Amino acid sequence: MTDSQLFADTFTVTDLNSQKYDRVSRLSSHTENGDTLLTLDINTELFPCTVGERLHILLASTLSLDGSKDDGKGWRDIGRGESSLADDYDYVCHGKIYRFEVGDDENIKVFVSFGGLLLYMEGPYKKLTPLRIDYVYLLIKK
């Protein structure tokens, strides 16, 4: 994992709630060792998921393969033929980390908004501390 890759792990989907919206579901999942919990609103029309499915999730500060900062250049400004982290993933979002909370014991809670689609993570302090920045990219693949 490079400096720009703030968090990476594999999660197993344990619950999928699609009762509230037509194209968005709230999925609940946990890592294989159970130390990190994740709840995520996801557009299931673009990225369909099922209970029991394993998802590789990466949170990164930039999409550049070399880890260089975006310098105001958005993800849409990537030129044709230019490689990025997004090339290896099926679902990519850009969002703002809007809250950190100290949880029980050595756990912390992280809240991120991707244009209204929310992510909540709870896990060990050492694992989630790199997320103490303003903006992140969420990249998911099966």
Side-chain angles (χ1 to χ4, degrees):
M1 199 160 61
T2 65
D3 288 341
S4 64
Q5 297 179 8
L6 308 170
F7 175 87
D9 213 332
T10 301
F11 288 82
T12 303
V13 178
T14 56
D15 185 42
L16 202 58
N17 182 348
S18 56
Q19 295 174 346
K20 199 165 191 169
Y21 301 105
D22 291 334
R23 291 172 272 187
V24 175
S25 295
R26 178 162 286 173
L27 66 83
S28 300
S29 60
H30 59 80
T31 54
E32 294 181 356
N33 62 5
D35 70 343
T36 306
L37 301 175
L38 174 110
T39 302
L40 174 67
D41 295 340
I42 194 162
N43 185 330
T44 50
E45 188 175 69
L46 297 175
F47 191 76
C49 298
T50 58
V51 173
E53 208 164 30
R54 295 177 63 208
L55 305 174
H56 179 70
I57 295 182
L58 172 67
L59 292 169
S61 60
T62 180
L63 291 177
S64 300
L65 292 174
D66 62 0
S68 61
K69 295 200 183 287
D70 290 336
D71 295 330
K73 183 171 126 176
W75 61 270
R76 293 179 190 209
D77 297 328
I78 295 173
R80 292 201 182 272
E82 191 177 334
S83 296
S84 75
L85 273 177
D87 296 340
D88 298 330
Y89 288 83
D90 303 317
Y91 188 81
V92 180
C93 296
H94 183 257
K96 178 168 179 51
I97 296 176
Y98 65 92
R99 191 163 84 202
F100 258 94
E101 287 182 8
V102 177
D104 304 333
D105 303 324
E106 293 292 317
N107 283 349
I108 61 174
K109 300 173 183 177
V110 180
F111 299 83
V112 187
S113 176
F114 301 98
L117 298 178
L118 303 178
L119 175 142
Y120 163 78
M121 279 180 38
E122 183 175 356
Y125 180 81
K126 287 183 177 183
K127 212 172 178 183
L128 299 181
T129 296
L131 297 175
R132 288 190 175 268
I133 62 170
D134 286 336
Y135 295 97
V136 293
Y137 289 96
L138 168 72
L139 300 101
I140 305 175
K141 66 181 172 182
K142 294 182 181 182

